[in-house]
Amino acid sequence: MVIMIGQRLLVKSAKKEKHVILTDMRLLANIIVAMRRVKQYDTLDCKGVLYRENFEFLREAVQFLSTTVGGSLKAGMRLKIGYLLKKLIKVSKEHNIQTNEMVLAEETDRFASLLDLNWDFIFYTAQLHCEQRSSLRKPQEMPVEGDLPKLRDFIVQEMATLVEDNYKKWDVHDFILMRYLIVSRLTMFNARRGGEPARLTIKEWKDAKNDVWIDPQFVEQIDDPLVESLLGQYKLAYQAGKGSKKLVPSLIPHDTAVPLQKLVEEMEELGIPESNPFLFPNTGGSNNHVIGWHSINKIVSMISDKLEKPSLLIADKF
């Protein structure tokens, strides 16, 4: 059942982000393990999660998984579990109907009604907390202003060093470092979600490089030297945002465009598969892209001794 829900989510996913789907599969497995611990029943399986008689054990497992050691609520985790249970209900019901297990399909419907009736009691507080996100607006939660130019200068300098050394033959470590640097630069410069610039594809970069998103009629009418100068300093890329319909823009500064082109040129030399469409691919023959949070965290850790509060330099807080 865990593998089945992973397969269904992968088919449904437009972006085919395997790491997100694997996270859901691991979380579902953790729910099963937590329910076994609570119920003291070692043979409970994934189908048992959706039995009405096990609902109280499920409630305790949800509370266990979404509460810190100190007793505070992990709101994002609790809400994630709630939505994962809804996905599990759909996949389980579809499987039961397909295999002609109509009694189990009806039981799944009853469990879904029970979950809906208890949703406010279990998940409402977490949902409210996630919607407000008030802590991110507090001044003390914002990055220290003096840390920002230090991070930017370090990234730009390291990118320039890797690009300007014409005699250096890149190895996989140079490729990975440049990938981390560019992802961090674009994420911070555009104030984007950690996963958005990391998902840019080679096609989206080529469109930006060729100014596909710049209206030539608009360019012809420009008579302001400042606007004309800005157009020459940036490349504009568009990519899918959090949803499936929304496109979000990313500005690529001139100091990053040349390193980006160098990164693309080195892909073939380092054995990145042609089947990998991403601009920031994982190495080792993978068809996935790098994780944005990991990229930023890696770069920040390299200069953490020069920063006042490096822990605040993440995409969410930025």
Side-chain angles (χ1 to χ4, degrees):
M1 186 65 74
V2 177
I3 295 173
M4 187 189 302
I5 193 171
Q7 292 172 334
R8 296 295 193 277
L9 293 176
L10 182 61
V11 170
K12 179 184 175 183
S13 173
K15 300 168 187 174
K16 305 302 180 187
E17 293 183 286
K18 287 186 178 179
H19 66 277
V20 176
I21 296 167
L22 289 171
T23 300
D24 283 344
M25 293 172 69
R26 282 193 294 270
L27 180 56
L28 179 55
N30 279 326
I31 293 172
I32 298 169
V33 172
M35 287 184 67
R36 286 179 178 181
R37 184 183 297 115
V38 171
K39 191 177 180 181
Q40 297 182 352
Y41 183 51
D42 291 339
T43 59
L44 183 136
D45 59 10
C46 193
K47 291 182 179 180
V49 175
L50 301 182
Y51 292 164
R52 283 176 296 156
E53 58 267 26
N54 292 335
F55 192 82
E56 284 304 316
F57 301 114
L58 174 62
R59 189 203 302 267
E60 291 183 40
V62 170
Q63 185 174 359
F64 171 77
L65 292 171
S66 59
T67 305
T68 64
V69 178
S72 57
L73 172 67
K74 293 191 284 187
M77 173 60 75
R78 182 165 296 187
L79 204 56
K80 186 179 180 69
I81 292 173
Y83 290 125
L84 179 58
L85 290 173
K86 290 189 174 184
K87 295 175 187 176
L88 178 61
I89 288 170
K90 289 183 179 180
V91 172
S92 178
K93 184 177 178 181
E94 180 266 336
H95 175 70
N96 291 334
I97 294 175
Q98 187 175 1
T99 56
N100 202 31
E101 296 180 351
M102 304 309 295
V103 175
L104 287 177
E106 293 174 3
E107 177 64 23
T108 303
D109 277 337
R110 296 188 185 99
F111 179 88
S113 298
L114 185 61
L115 181 65
D116 287 339
L117 291 170
N118 283 275
W119 183 269
D120 286 350
F121 301 110
I122 303 175
F123 301 106
Y124 179 73
T125 302
Q127 189 171 350
L128 195 63
H129 182 85
C130 289
E131 288 173 354
Q132 291 179 342
R133 304 277 288 181
S134 60
S135 62
L136 291 181
R137 297 183 176 92
K138 295 178 181 176
Q140 61 267 30
E141 291 294 324
M142 295 177 66
V144 177
E145 193 166 344
D147 285 347
L148 305 183
K150 293 178 184 177
L151 178 63
R152 178 201 60 209
D153 293 346
F154 174 79
I155 292 174
V156 172
Q157 182 179 349
E158 288 293 314
M159 288 193 301
T161 301
L162 285 170
V163 169
E164 292 170 2
D165 190 348
N166 296 322
Y167 299 98
K168 180 178 177 60
K169 182 174 176 60
W170 274 26
D171 59 18
V172 67
H173 302 291
D174 297 316
F175 180 86
I176 291 172
L177 176 58
M178 179 65 89
R179 185 187 63 190
Y180 285 159
L181 289 165
I182 298 175
V183 171
S184 301
R185 174 72 168 140
L186 294 181
T187 304
M188 293 303 195
F189 183 77
N190 289 278
R192 285 282 170 230
R193 297 174 182 272
E196 285 179 349
R199 287 200 312 267
L200 277 167
T201 64
I202 296 175
K203 181 183 182 304
E204 289 164 348
W205 156 242
K206 288 181 178 178
D207 286 346
K209 182 183 175 184
N210 296 326
D211 294 327
V212 169
W213 294 102
I214 304 296
D215 185 357
Q217 298 181 47
F218 168 74
V219 175
E220 291 176 2
Q221 297 173 5
I222 293 176
D223 55 7
D224 187 338
L226 178 59
V227 177
E228 189 175 356
S229 173
L230 288 173
L231 274 174
Q233 292 181 29
Y234 301 100
K235 295 294 183 182
L236 177 62
Y238 271 90
Q239 64 178 138
K242 186 178 181 182
S244 58
K245 299 179 181 179
K246 185 178 179 182
L247 288 176
V248 295
S250 291
L251 280 176
I252 302 173
H254 177 70
D255 57 41
T256 309
V258 176
L260 249 179
Q261 185 57 37
K262 175 69 173 176
L263 190 78
V264 173
E265 292 170 358
E266 293 291 336
M267 286 183 184
E268 184 176 353
E269 293 290 330
L270 293 171
I272 302 298
E274 292 184 2
S275 56
N276 190 325
F278 295 109
L279 185 59
F280 306 110
N282 281 326
T283 53
S286 171
N287 282 324
N288 293 326
H289 60 79
V290 71
I291 305 299
W293 178 90
H294 186 266
S295 301
I296 298 170
N297 185 62
K298 185 69 176 179
I299 297 302
V300 170
S301 67
M302 292 173 67
I303 58 166
S304 58
D305 57 330
K306 299 178 182 178
L307 304 174
E308 188 175 340
K309 291 186 177 181
S311 62
L312 298 181
L313 287 174
I314 60 175
D316 280 349
K317 295 183 184 297
F318 196 86

